[in-house]
Amino acid sequence: MALVVRVVGMTAPDLRFTPQHEWLQVRDDGTFRVGITDFAQDSLGDIVFVGLPTVGTVVSAGGPLGEVESTKSVSEVYAPLSGVVVAVNDAVETAPETINDDPYGSGWLLEIKPEGEVDVETFLTEAAYLELVGG
């Protein structure tokens, strides 16, 4: 069975991916919305807890920015770029199962205002990500 990137409310070309299974989307205001991929949430199983930084937190590319806990394990979420957290999706902290239900839509985690220029071409396309995860 082939893995398909399940996207609700946006098209897959709008998204870029990291090898650590985060997705990101450039917003109209220049911020980046970040979440975990459908592959990641499926691998984790039922998500029961999400820990995210507060608005105003400075994050560094590749550094931890939160954690997602499931009935199977706890997994770090890594910052795909350096910048400042400008929005946090409080809904996933109070209803973490939202990530399982809609990882590319209402299950987003946070938004980052980047530090300097960001070349989105450095992130994986949908095709490259699917190849990475064996899809």
Side-chain angles (χ1 to χ4, degrees), residues 2 17 34 48 53 55 76 78 83-84 91 96-97 116 132:
F17 303 86
V34 178
V48 296
V55 170
E76 291 281 339
Y78 298 96
V84 177
E97 67 277 3
L132 174 78

Side-chain angles (χ1 to χ4, degrees), residues 87-124:
V88 174
N89 186 357
D90 295 328
V92 298
E93 290 184 303
T94 57
E97 67 277 3
T98 305
I99 297 169
N100 294 118
D101 296 337
D102 190 12
Y104 299 111
S106 58
W108 63 276
L109 300 178
L110 50 82
E111 292 179 0
I112 299 172
K113 180 179 180 181
E115 177 182 279
E117 294 280 320
V118 176
D119 181 2
V120 295
E121 298 302 320
T122 61
F123 298 102
L124 300 171

Side-chain angles (χ1 to χ4, degrees), residues 21-75:
H21 309 292
E22 289 87 22
W23 61 263
L24 60 158
Q25 177 192 40
V26 181
R27 310 292 291 165
D28 289 340
D29 62 1
T31 61
F32 284 77
R33 182 168 279 184
V34 178
I36 64 169
T37 65
D38 190 49
F39 177 84
Q41 72 77 25
D42 188 55
S43 297
L44 285 167
D46 294 333
I47 296 174
V48 296
F49 173 79
V50 178
L52 297 173
T54 58
V55 170
T57 300
V58 176
V59 296
S60 298
L65 64 75
E67 65 181 26
V68 176
E69 183 178 333
S70 72
T71 55
K72 294 181 184 179
S73 67
V74 176
S75 183

